[in-house]
Each structure stands twice: as C-alpha cells, then as structure tokens.
Amino acid sequence: MSGKQAVTAHAGGPGRGMVILGAHGQLGRALAKALAGLGPVQALGRADCDIGDEAAVQAMVRRLRPGVIVNAAAYTAVDKAQTERDAAFLINALAPGYLADAALSVGAWLVHYSTDYVFDGTATRPYREDDPVAPQNVYGKTKRLGEEAVLARPITAFVLRTAWLYDREGRNFLTTIRRLAAQGPVRVVADQYGSPTPVGSLAEATRAILAHPHAAECAGLYHAACRGTVSWHGFAEAIVRSCGLAVAVSPIATADYPTAARRPAYSVLDCGRLAQRMGIVLPPWGQALADLFGEGP
Ligand SMILES: NC(=O)c1ccc[n+]([C@@H]2O[C@H](COP(=O)([O-])OP(=O)(O)OC[C@H]3O[C@@H](n4cnc5c(N)ncnc54)[C@H](OP(=O)(O)O)[C@@H]3O)[C@@H](O)[C@H]2O)c1
C-alpha cells in the first residue's frame, strides 16, 4: 500500500459518522444501539439501501460520506440458499465487494460479518483465523467469497466471523425453542457443537473495536463469538431452563433431522486473536444467555 493510500484509509473512523446496513436484522438492531455513543449513526434498512445494487451503494456513500460502514446485511437463510444460489451469491459474495469499493472511495473503514460455516467441522480444537476453510454449503461458500472480496481491497476492514447468533426477539434459535417448548416436549440435534452468541455481545465487541485507540492498525480478520462450547441440544436445555419451562428436551442426531444444507458438526471459533491484538473478549455463552434473560422485558 502506498503512503497516500494509507493516510486515506486511516482517515476514516467512527467520529466521522457510521452507516449501518441491514439495520433491521437482528444484529443490525443491536448495532444501532451499541454504536450510538461513538458518533453519529445512520441505520439503513434494505428499503434505504439495497447492498446488491452497486450504484445505490455508491450513491449512498457519496451522499453520507461515513467514516465507518458497518455491514450487517446478508442472505442468511442457510437452507434456502441451496436453491437460491444467485441471490445468496449477490448479497454475500458480490455486495461486500461493492461496499469495500465504496469505502475505498471515501476513506471509510468497513466492518463486515462472516460465519463459522466457512469451516467443514472436522477440527478437534477451536478454529483459528488462519485454519483452512472448506465450506460445506452454499451459504458458507458465498460468505467465504465475501470475506475475500473485503480483504482484497486496500481499506481498513474488520471481517468478524461469528457464530450461532440469537436475540430475545426476531426469528432465531432461542425464539423458536421458546415457542416450541411452550407447546410441549422438543427434540434437538445433539451432535453439532458451536458457541451461541447473542447479537448484543457481538455489537458490544464491534463498539470496542471501533473505539480502540489503535483500531486502524489492528484491521483484519477476526473470530468473534462467545466463549465455550455447547451442542444445539445443550443450548436448547439452557433456554428452556431460563424460561422456567419444565418440558423434556430430547437429544437427536443430525441424521434424524435432515436439512437442505449440510452443517459443520463442530464450528467452535478460537477468538484469541481479538483478545491478544485488541484486548476484546466476549463473555462465556451461558453467562451471555443469563444476562439476556436478566435484562427484563
Ligand atoms: N444468524 C446467525 O446465526 C449467524 C451466524 C454466523 C454469522 N452470521 C452473520 O452475521 C451477520 C448478521 O446476521 P443476522 O443474524 O443479523 O441476519 P438477519 O437477522 O437475517 O438480518 C439480515 C438483514 O439483512 C437484510 N438484507 C438482506 N438482503 C439485503 C440487501 N440486498 N440489502 C440490504 N439489506 C439486506 C435483511 O433484510 P430483509 O429482512 O428485508 O431480508 C435483514 O434485515 C450476517 O453477515 C450473517 O451472515 C449470522
């Protein structure tokens, strides 16, 4: 990178204003709250800016000239992506490149999110950022291409791979289990392991990254998920307990719950790089879940 490019890239930052894309998704909503104290925030939903429309992205960035672009928009329907490949490819693989080009044009930083599903799940210890990727489904493949598109541009970019996102509202594993458990016993896959991460914890980690005094020097690829490992079954049991419900949660095998997309059996992320370089650590998954229920309505 030339000196001139470096100066331009580092001129971004939250003080110049932040734009959140996909602001009505579960992570987008949490980001709008968490980043508010750092500087002016523009929270844009799909109707305000379709990230798959390159001209619309460029026009938005020229108009707002943000210091940081935070991309919470994605094609996240993992099973549907198997048959809607073009849509998933546009939003997850091409659009991050449009955002990175737009960031370059105004010297903005870019925060982009990726997934534990870039890995094949055969590891026996948590995955590090430089472990080989081998996505097993269309969603994971398109998300990997999106990572590459962002990291290839000479910009200050933070690509955060996260996992098993949920919140107290919206459509996610927690709300699904809560709804099903209110009706009766539930059966949940017990042979896939990961790290459930509430969107609030990831949004808070994003805030800490952007607020870090040497943020620009720390740009790169990071794993950002809650600590610890649990199966979907173990997570469901914890949710049911937290809701005060007394229904049975039975373990089943992945083979007993066929889905269109294959999922990694083990996709725990080693988040040591984020801790070592920036001093940012997400809470253990169980504590994060308890905190979410402790927040009140
Ligand atoms: N959910 C998980 O378990 C999980 C796990 C690992 C990584 N991630 C990653 O984390 C990030 C946030 O995920 P999330 O769970 O918050 O997803 P989400 O709740 O599905 O939200 C995604 C948002 O993106 C919007 N969107 C889709 N296409 C768009 C477009 N062309 N232009 C603008 N907005 C568009 C959606 O709008 P509509 O509602 O109008 O479609 C939705 O509001 C994503 O990068 C995802 O890949 C998620």
Side-chain angles (χ1 to χ4, degrees), residues 10 109-110 151 155-160 208-222 273-280:
H10 287 206
W109 301 355
L110 175 62
L151 294 169
I155 57 173
T156 299
F158 300 90
V159 175
L160 308 180
I209 288 170
L210 294 176
H212 192 283
H214 305 293
E217 287 75 23
C218 299
L221 174 65
Y222 290 95
R273 180 182 284 182
L274 190 59
Q276 282 144 25
R277 290 196 190 161
M278 304 195 80
I280 297 167

Side-chain angles (χ1 to χ4, degrees), residues 21-29 44-47 49-53 71-77 91-92 112-117 139 143 160-166 171 199 202 232:
L21 298 153
H24 304 321
Q26 53 176 353
L27 177 59
R29 290 192 302 269
L44 307 183
R46 187 202 285 260
C49 182
D50 177 346
I51 65 163
D53 180 341
N71 179 33
Y75 183 106
T76 55
I91 306 310
N92 292 346
H112 178 69
Y113 299 91
S114 190
T115 173
D116 52 335
Y117 285 7
Y139 168 76
K143 291 295 291 182
L160 308 180
R161 283 188 192 139
T162 191
W164 295 25
L165 288 185
Y166 68 95
R171 282 180 54 185
V199 288
L202 182 59
W232 288 116

Side-chain angles (χ1 to χ4, degrees), residues 216-242:
E217 287 75 23
C218 299
L221 174 65
Y222 290 95
H223 288 174
C226 279
R227 280 180 283 152
T229 306
V230 69
S231 69
W232 288 116
H233 171 260
F235 184 32
E237 282 189 319
I239 291 167
V240 166
R241 265 199 312 275
S242 303

Side-chain angles (χ1 to χ4, degrees), residues 13-295:
R16 240 176 67 190
M18 294 160 281
V19 166
I20 301 170
L21 298 153
H24 304 321
Q26 53 176 353
L27 177 59
R29 290 192 302 269
L31 284 166
K33 281 188 212 155
L35 302 185
L38 277 186
V41 175
Q42 294 270 352
L44 307 183
R46 187 202 285 260
D48 308 304
C49 182
D50 177 346
I51 65 163
D53 180 341
E54 187 173 12
V57 167
Q58 282 171 356
M60 177 277 292
V61 166
R62 269 199 306 272
R63 183 166 55 86
L64 299 175
R65 301 192 73 78
V68 184
I69 300 170
V70 185
N71 179 33
Y75 183 106
T76 55
V78 176
D79 290 310
K80 236 163 103 182
Q82 294 297 115
T83 47
E84 292 191 354
R85 286 166 181 260
D86 291 351
F89 183 76
L90 174 63
I91 306 310
N92 292 346
L94 294 181
Y98 304 158
L99 292 167
D101 286 338
L104 182 63
S105 72
V106 295
W109 301 355
L110 175 62
V111 181
H112 178 69
Y113 299 91
S114 190
T115 173
D116 52 335
Y117 285 7
V118 297
F119 295 115
D120 67 7
T122 57
T124 51
R125 52 130 179 96
Y127 283 100
R128 300 187 193 115
E129 288 82 351
D130 48 9
D131 281 329
V133 295
Q136 297 294 295
N137 55 46
V138 170
Y139 168 76
K141 285 178 186 154
T142 58
K143 291 295 291 182
R144 173 57 189 164
L145 291 168
E147 294 181 350
E148 287 174 338
V150 171
L151 294 169
R153 264 74 169 185
I155 57 173
T156 299
F158 300 90
V159 175
L160 308 180
R161 283 188 192 139
T162 191
W164 295 25
L165 288 185
Y166 68 95
D167 197 6
R168 281 198 309 189
E169 51 196 41
R171 282 180 54 185
N172 57 61
F173 186 80
L174 181 145
T175 56
T176 301
I177 291 296
R178 198 171 52 192
R179 176 170 47 80
L180 294 176
Q183 294 160 14
V186 287
R187 300 161 74 233
V188 185
V189 169
D191 54 2
Q192 288 173 29
Y193 293 87
S195 308
T197 303
V199 288
S201 296
L202 182 59
E204 183 51 36
T206 304
R207 191 203 63 76
I209 288 170
L210 294 176
H212 192 283
H214 305 293
E217 287 75 23
C218 299
L221 174 65
Y222 290 95
H223 288 174
C226 279
R227 280 180 283 152
T229 306
V230 69
S231 69
W232 288 116
H233 171 260
F235 184 32
E237 282 189 319
I239 291 167
V240 166
R241 265 199 312 275
S242 303
C243 294
L245 294 166
V247 296
V249 182
S250 313
I252 58 168
T254 298
D256 298 325
Y257 188 75
T259 53
R262 206 161 132 195
R263 286 160 169 78
Y266 176 91
S267 58
V268 180
L269 301 175
D270 179 330
C271 300
R273 180 182 284 182
L274 190 59
Q276 282 144 25
R277 290 196 190 161
M278 304 195 80
I280 297 167
V281 178
L282 279 78
W285 73 264
Q287 184 195 317
L289 177 68
D291 289 350
L292 199 71
F293 276 96
E295 277 172 13

